[in-house]
Amino acid sequence: MSDHLEEQEMEAEALEAIFDTAFEIRSSSQPFIWAVKLVPVDCGGDEEEEEAANHVMVKLVVNVPLDYPEESSPELDLEIVKGLSEDNKKELMAVATDEAEANAGMPAVFA
């Protein structure tokens, strides 16, 4: 098993532990694709309660390059689920991209 693969699998396990049902593996073979639903108020997976409690919701979609994390940063995208404009998306993407670049070389999707 390559070091990259092992680190990526360990990061997926950590993300699942941190985000529980909000973490989704969209592609379980390399290159991996992960998604994390982000909301202001976490309702423990209760979708009806989550819908009522949150006026905004996004999914951070992460395309994991084969040589991540040592050689390259994750490719990030945001899917607007509820309540945000395209301008909001651009602002959030700038913050996420800056954070990914600041953590280059280490597994840091959770950052």
Side-chain angles (χ1 to χ4, degrees), residues 83-95:
L84 294 173
S85 68
E86 284 299 316
D87 287 340
N88 296 137
K89 178 181 175 176
K90 288 177 188 173
E91 289 179 46
L92 290 171
M93 282 299 302
V95 171

Side-chain angles (χ1 to χ4, degrees), residues 60-98:
L60 174 65
V61 179
V62 181
N63 289 291
V64 182
L66 296 176
D67 59 358
Y68 168 81
E70 289 87 11
E71 307 293 324
S72 61
S73 295
E75 298 167 15
L76 306 175
D77 191 22
L78 280 177
E79 295 175 354
I80 298 170
V81 178
K82 179 180 177 183
L84 294 173
S85 68
E86 284 299 316
D87 287 340
N88 296 137
K89 178 181 175 176
K90 288 177 188 173
E91 289 179 46
L92 290 171
M93 282 299 302
V95 171
T97 301
D98 288 348

Side-chain angles (χ1 to χ4, degrees), residues 23-38:
F23 178 68
E24 169 189 0
I25 296 176
R26 292 189 175 179
S27 173
S28 59
S29 59
Q30 283 188 303
F32 298 118
I33 301 173
W34 304 328
V36 179
K37 181 171 52 175
L38 302 171

